[in-house]
Amino acid sequence: MTSQIKGDLQDIQARCGSVSLVIVDYVQLIEPIRLRGGENRVQEIDSILKQLRAIAKQFNCAVLGLAQLKREVDSRSEKRPTKADFRESGGFEQEAASHFQFVISNGLTPRSANAIRN
């Protein structure tokens, strides 16, 4: 699926010029390129994230990847998510040049519901 993103970006670049931003909604839905057998889901997501980072470098653009958080956040007393709360991968922490979390929840005060930048 990242090869499709790459192909689409090449087409857009040929027609319109440079691309500034790519938004992926959401990263866990991208089908991994299966180069070797036996990969678990964490390894697949890590591979996808590396491919997205390579796309950002190749096209000299920002890639904004939306991702789901683990459900354990809801069961903690401190509801503010951390980088470790990304579902299915620690690769988000490793591959992201910048990392933003937007928290909207009925269980949070207005102050803590503001965008969090880590």
Short mmCIF file of all heavy atoms in Angstrom, two decimals, residues 22-48:
data_model
loop_
_atom_site.label_atom_id
_atom_site.label_comp_id
_atom_site.label_asym_id
_atom_site.label_seq_id
_atom_site.Cartn_x
_atom_site.Cartn_y
_atom_site.Cartn_z
N VAL A 22 1.53 15.02 3.24
CA VAL A 22 0.78 13.79 2.99
C VAL A 22 0.12 13.41 4.31
O VAL A 22 0.78 13.36 5.34
CB VAL A 22 1.71 12.64 2.53
CG1 VAL A 22 0.94 11.35 2.36
CG2 VAL A 22 2.43 13.02 1.26
N ILE A 23 -1.18 13.17 4.27
CA ILE A 23 -1.91 12.76 5.48
C ILE A 23 -2.38 11.32 5.30
O ILE A 23 -3.04 11.01 4.31
CB ILE A 23 -3.11 13.69 5.75
CG1 ILE A 23 -2.63 15.12 5.93
CG2 ILE A 23 -3.88 13.21 6.98
CD1 ILE A 23 -3.73 16.15 6.05
N VAL A 24 -2.03 10.48 6.26
CA VAL A 24 -2.42 9.07 6.24
C VAL A 24 -3.41 8.84 7.37
O VAL A 24 -3.08 9.00 8.54
CB VAL A 24 -1.20 8.14 6.41
CG1 VAL A 24 -1.63 6.68 6.42
CG2 VAL A 24 -0.17 8.40 5.33
N ASP A 25 -4.62 8.47 7.02
CA ASP A 25 -5.69 8.23 8.00
C ASP A 25 -6.21 6.80 7.83
O ASP A 25 -6.99 6.53 6.95
CB ASP A 25 -6.82 9.24 7.79
CG ASP A 25 -7.95 9.08 8.80
OD1 ASP A 25 -7.73 8.45 9.84
OD2 ASP A 25 -9.04 9.59 8.54
N TYR A 26 -5.88 5.88 8.62
CA TYR A 26 -4.90 5.89 9.65
C TYR A 26 -3.86 4.83 9.40
O TYR A 26 -4.12 3.88 8.67
CB TYR A 26 -5.54 5.85 11.04
CG TYR A 26 -6.20 4.57 11.53
CD1 TYR A 26 -5.48 3.65 12.26
CD2 TYR A 26 -7.54 4.32 11.29
CE1 TYR A 26 -6.10 2.53 12.77
CE2 TYR A 26 -8.14 3.19 11.79
CZ TYR A 26 -7.42 2.30 12.52
OH TYR A 26 -8.02 1.17 13.02
N VAL A 27 -2.70 4.95 10.00
CA VAL A 27 -1.52 4.15 9.67
C VAL A 27 -1.79 2.65 9.80
O VAL A 27 -1.36 1.86 8.96
CB VAL A 27 -0.32 4.57 10.56
CG1 VAL A 27 0.85 3.61 10.40
CG2 VAL A 27 0.10 6.00 10.25
N GLN A 28 -2.52 2.24 10.82
CA GLN A 28 -2.73 0.81 11.05
C GLN A 28 -3.57 0.14 9.96
O GLN A 28 -3.63 -1.08 9.89
CB GLN A 28 -3.37 0.56 12.42
CG GLN A 28 -2.41 0.77 13.56
CD GLN A 28 -2.58 2.12 14.22
OE1 GLN A 28 -2.96 3.10 13.59
NE2 GLN A 28 -2.28 2.21 15.50
N LEU A 29 -4.20 0.91 9.09
CA LEU A 29 -4.99 0.31 8.00
C LEU A 29 -4.18 0.07 6.73
O LEU A 29 -4.66 -0.58 5.80
CB LEU A 29 -6.20 1.20 7.66
CG LEU A 29 -7.30 1.24 8.70
CD1 LEU A 29 -8.43 2.15 8.24
CD2 LEU A 29 -7.85 -0.15 8.97
N ILE A 30 -2.96 0.56 6.68
CA ILE A 30 -2.12 0.33 5.50
C ILE A 30 -1.71 -1.13 5.46
O ILE A 30 -1.27 -1.70 6.45
CB ILE A 30 -0.86 1.23 5.54
CG1 ILE A 30 -1.27 2.70 5.40
CG2 ILE A 30 0.12 0.84 4.44
CD1 ILE A 30 -0.11 3.66 5.49
N GLU A 31 -1.85 -1.72 4.28
CA GLU A 31 -1.42 -3.11 4.09
C GLU A 31 0.09 -3.13 3.96
O GLU A 31 0.66 -2.41 3.15
CB GLU A 31 -2.03 -3.70 2.82
CG GLU A 31 -3.49 -4.06 2.95
CD GLU A 31 -3.72 -5.24 3.88
OE1 GLU A 31 -2.92 -6.21 3.85
OE2 GLU A 31 -4.70 -5.20 4.64
N PRO A 32 0.76 -3.96 4.75
CA PRO A 32 2.22 -4.01 4.68
C PRO A 32 2.71 -4.71 3.41
O PRO A 32 2.02 -5.57 2.86
CB PRO A 32 2.61 -4.81 5.92
CG PRO A 32 1.43 -5.66 6.20
CD PRO A 32 0.22 -4.87 5.74
N ILE A 33 3.90 -4.31 2.96
CA ILE A 33 4.56 -5.04 1.89
C ILE A 33 5.22 -6.24 2.56
O ILE A 33 6.05 -6.09 3.44
CB ILE A 33 5.62 -4.16 1.19
CG1 ILE A 33 4.95 -2.96 0.54
CG2 ILE A 33 6.41 -4.97 0.17
CD1 ILE A 33 5.92 -1.93 0.00
N ARG A 34 4.83 -7.41 2.16
CA ARG A 34 5.34 -8.62 2.81
C ARG A 34 6.59 -9.12 2.08
O ARG A 34 6.50 -9.78 1.07
CB ARG A 34 4.26 -9.69 2.82
CG ARG A 34 3.02 -9.23 3.55
CD ARG A 34 2.14 -10.40 3.93
NE ARG A 34 0.86 -9.94 4.42
CZ ARG A 34 0.63 -9.60 5.68
NH1 ARG A 34 1.58 -9.67 6.56
NH2 ARG A 34 -0.57 -9.20 6.06
N LEU A 35 7.74 -8.76 2.65
CA LEU A 35 9.00 -9.16 2.06
C LEU A 35 9.48 -10.49 2.61
O LEU A 35 10.19 -11.23 1.96
CB LEU A 35 10.06 -8.08 2.30
CG LEU A 35 9.75 -6.71 1.71
CD1 LEU A 35 10.82 -5.70 2.10
CD2 LEU A 35 9.65 -6.80 0.20
N ARG A 36 9.10 -10.77 3.82
CA ARG A 36 9.52 -12.03 4.44
C ARG A 36 8.34 -12.56 5.26
O ARG A 36 7.52 -11.80 5.74
CB ARG A 36 10.76 -11.83 5.31
CG ARG A 36 10.61 -10.71 6.31
CD ARG A 36 11.95 -10.36 6.96
NE ARG A 36 11.77 -9.31 7.92
CZ ARG A 36 11.93 -8.03 7.67
NH1 ARG A 36 12.25 -7.64 6.47
NH2 ARG A 36 11.74 -7.12 8.60
N GLY A 37 8.30 -13.84 5.43
CA GLY A 37 7.20 -14.43 6.17
C GLY A 37 7.42 -14.37 7.67
O GLY A 37 8.51 -14.10 8.15
N GLY A 38 6.36 -14.60 8.42
CA GLY A 38 6.47 -14.73 9.85
C GLY A 38 6.52 -13.44 10.64
O GLY A 38 6.82 -13.46 11.83
N GLU A 39 6.27 -12.30 10.00
CA GLU A 39 6.27 -11.04 10.75
C GLU A 39 5.00 -10.93 11.58
O GLU A 39 3.92 -11.28 11.13
CB GLU A 39 6.33 -9.84 9.80
CG GLU A 39 7.67 -9.65 9.15
CD GLU A 39 7.73 -8.35 8.35
OE1 GLU A 39 6.68 -7.87 7.90
OE2 GLU A 39 8.83 -7.83 8.18
N ASN A 40 5.15 -10.42 12.80
CA ASN A 40 3.97 -10.16 13.60
C ASN A 40 3.46 -8.75 13.31
O ASN A 40 4.09 -7.99 12.55
CB ASN A 40 4.25 -10.39 15.09
CG ASN A 40 5.28 -9.43 15.65
OD1 ASN A 40 5.38 -8.29 15.24
ND2 ASN A 40 6.05 -9.90 16.62
N ARG A 41 2.36 -8.38 13.88
CA ARG A 41 1.73 -7.09 13.58
C ARG A 41 2.62 -5.90 13.97
O ARG A 41 2.67 -4.91 13.25
CB ARG A 41 0.37 -7.01 14.28
CG ARG A 41 -0.43 -5.80 13.88
CD ARG A 41 -0.79 -5.82 12.41
NE ARG A 41 -1.57 -4.62 12.10
CZ ARG A 41 -1.60 -4.05 10.91
NH1 ARG A 41 -0.94 -4.57 9.91
NH2 ARG A 41 -2.31 -2.97 10.71
N VAL A 42 3.32 -6.01 15.08
CA VAL A 42 4.21 -4.93 15.50
C VAL A 42 5.30 -4.72 14.45
O VAL A 42 5.60 -3.59 14.07
CB VAL A 42 4.83 -5.24 16.89
CG1 VAL A 42 5.92 -4.25 17.23
CG2 VAL A 42 3.74 -5.22 17.96
N GLN A 43 5.88 -5.80 13.95
CA GLN A 43 6.91 -5.69 12.92
C GLN A 43 6.35 -5.11 11.63
O GLN A 43 7.02 -4.33 10.95
CB GLN A 43 7.55 -7.06 12.66
CG GLN A 43 8.37 -7.57 13.82
CD GLN A 43 8.74 -9.04 13.66
OE1 GLN A 43 7.96 -9.85 13.19
NE2 GLN A 43 9.97 -9.37 14.06
N GLU A 44 5.12 -5.49 11.29
CA GLU A 44 4.48 -4.94 10.09
C GLU A 44 4.29 -3.43 10.20
O GLU A 44 4.60 -2.69 9.28
CB GLU A 44 3.12 -5.61 9.85
CG GLU A 44 3.21 -7.04 9.40
CD GLU A 44 1.85 -7.71 9.28
OE1 GLU A 44 0.83 -7.14 9.73
OE2 GLU A 44 1.80 -8.82 8.73
N ILE A 45 3.79 -2.98 11.35
CA ILE A 45 3.57 -1.54 11.56
C ILE A 45 4.91 -0.81 11.54
O ILE A 45 5.03 0.26 10.94
CB ILE A 45 2.81 -1.27 12.88
CG1 ILE A 45 1.40 -1.87 12.83
CG2 ILE A 45 2.75 0.23 13.18
CD1 ILE A 45 0.47 -1.26 11.81
N ASP A 46 5.92 -1.37 12.18
CA ASP A 46 7.25 -0.76 12.16
C ASP A 46 7.75 -0.61 10.73
O ASP A 46 8.32 0.43 10.36
CB ASP A 46 8.24 -1.57 12.99
CG ASP A 46 8.00 -1.46 14.48
OD1 ASP A 46 7.21 -0.59 14.91
OD2 ASP A 46 8.60 -2.25 15.23
N SER A 47 7.54 -1.62 9.91
CA SER A 47 7.95 -1.58 8.51
C SER A 47 7.19 -0.49 7.75
O SER A 47 7.78 0.27 6.97
CB SER A 47 7.71 -2.95 7.86
OG SER A 47 7.99 -2.90 6.49
N ILE A 48 5.90 -0.38 7.99
CA ILE A 48 5.08 0.65 7.35
C ILE A 48 5.58 2.04 7.73
O ILE A 48 5.71 2.93 6.89
CB ILE A 48 3.59 0.48 7.73
CG1 ILE A 48 3.02 -0.77 7.07
CG2 ILE A 48 2.77 1.72 7.36
CD1 ILE A 48 1.69 -1.22 7.64
#
